[in-house]
Amino acid sequence: MKQGIFTIQSNENIALNVYKMVLTGDTGAITAPGQFVDIMLEGYFLRRPISVCDCVDGKLTLIYKVVGKGTEAMAGLEAEQKLDLLTGLGNGYDLTACRNHALLIGGGVGVPPLYMMARELREMGKEVSVILGFNKAKEIFYQKEFEALGAHTYVATADGSVGTKGFVTDVMNSVDIPYDYFYCCGPEPMLKAVYNASKTGGQFSFEERMGCGFGACMGCSCKTKYGNKRICKDGPVLTKEEIIW
């Protein structure tokens, strides 16, 4: 974990209530896709945990959805403003678990951390398929970015406005996608559905309310087959084999 001051380069609306923020600063503590940062906002006691979408050459990309006063305040930030960040939080995904073909599954704001992972897997020479789940067309983001990486990209929308009508598991059940390992991020009901629909081992990134973000307060503990784990410190990524629903 490292604390540092970052400078906002851009902060733009890219989909319905979804924003993309690009910052520059010391990103040395960010070592794996699936990690997150904790952002200090003026006037708020607790920091805001946001997953890392990408991290390249000192540029940090965050994608977040406006769901409350904190993220609403973030949406109002402008270029050249400074932010105090804790970086390198969480364990991240283990990409070495995939042999040849990875399946990445994301729902809503669970999509962003999959992008850095897809990029790194492609750089490792792996085949990558991605299933992106949204409620409707206006909420879709980063489909073209995944396609530009060479990932086989599928979209599911709950209202059927784009791609497969339904959920990410409807794509899993209707399309013959070859994969030897999967990675998943999204709301817990989606994670559980993917768990039941999956055919191989995999890793899940869990969302949880956090107090400190680095394991001190014990506020985000959960039970696993190997004992209690802290989502912020020992997670947010857990393997399929250790999860207790």
Side-chain angles (χ1 to χ4, degrees):
M1 180 185 73
K2 182 179 288 188
Q3 184 175 6
I5 302 300
F6 283 68
T7 303
I8 299 174
Q9 300 299 304
S10 61
N11 188 27
E12 60 179 329
N13 180 217
I14 61 171
L16 183 64
N17 296 325
V18 176
Y19 286 76
K20 174 183 176 180
M21 180 184 290
V22 178
L23 308 101
T24 54
D26 183 357
T27 59
I30 301 172
T31 59
Q35 290 183 305
F36 64 96
V37 302
D38 238 355
I39 303 175
M40 180 181 291
L41 295 173
E42 185 176 353
Y44 294 86
F45 178 69
L46 295 178
R47 291 174 179 263
R48 262 50 188 181
I50 305 291
S51 60
V52 172
C53 175
D54 203 9
C55 180
V56 180
D57 298 329
K59 283 191 175 182
L60 174 64
T61 301
L62 307 176
I63 293 180
Y64 60 96
K65 186 173 184 178
V66 175
V67 293
K69 292 183 178 179
T71 44
E72 183 178 1
M74 284 180 60
L77 297 175
E78 299 179 350
E80 302 305 322
Q81 286 187 257
K82 308 290 185 181
L83 284 177
D84 183 312
L85 268 64
L86 297 179
T87 62
L89 301 176
N91 58 351
Y93 292 101
D94 177 10
L95 305 191
T96 64
C98 169
R99 296 190 303 274
N100 298 303
H101 196 147
L103 175 60
L104 281 51
I105 309 157
V109 290
V111 167
L114 302 185
Y115 180 77
M116 180 175 172
M117 178 162 48
R119 178 178 59 77
E120 293 193 356
L121 285 167
R122 293 293 293 149
E123 290 171 355
M124 294 166 63
K126 310 292 185 181
E127 285 293 315
V128 175
S129 295
V130 183
I131 304 175
L132 309 175
F134 302 95
N135 288 316
K136 51 190 174 183
K138 290 183 178 180
E139 296 182 0
I140 296 173
F141 62 89
Y142 259 51
Q143 178 183 355
K144 293 181 179 179
E145 284 80 355
F146 280 104
E147 293 171 345
L149 293 176
H152 309 287
T153 306
Y154 306 85
V155 173
T157 50
D159 66 356
S161 52
V162 176
T164 299
K165 182 176 182 179
F167 306 106
V168 294
T169 47
D170 290 302
V171 178
M172 294 177 70
N173 294 329
S174 63
V175 181
D176 185 17
I177 304 175
Y179 65 97
D180 55 60
Y181 203 79
F182 71 89
Y183 301 90
C184 188
C185 185
E188 190 166 316
M190 189 201 86
L191 300 185
K192 188 173 184 180
V194 169
Y195 180 98
N196 292 327
S198 60
K199 303 174 182 177
T200 69
Q203 297 170 27
F204 297 80
S205 180
F206 283 82
E207 300 172 352
E208 188 60 75
R209 285 188 174 274
M210 299 178 185
C212 66
F214 47 84
C217 71
M218 306 298 290
C220 60
S221 295
C222 70
K223 292 182 179 179
T224 76
K225 293 179 182 178
Y226 308 123
N228 290 334
K229 289 193 173 184
R230 298 159 294 180
I231 291 297
C232 70
K233 180 73 173 179
D234 308 309
V237 178
L238 302 177
T239 64
K240 180 181 179 180
E241 293 73 23
E242 65 184 311
I243 294 170
I244 298 175
W245 296 107

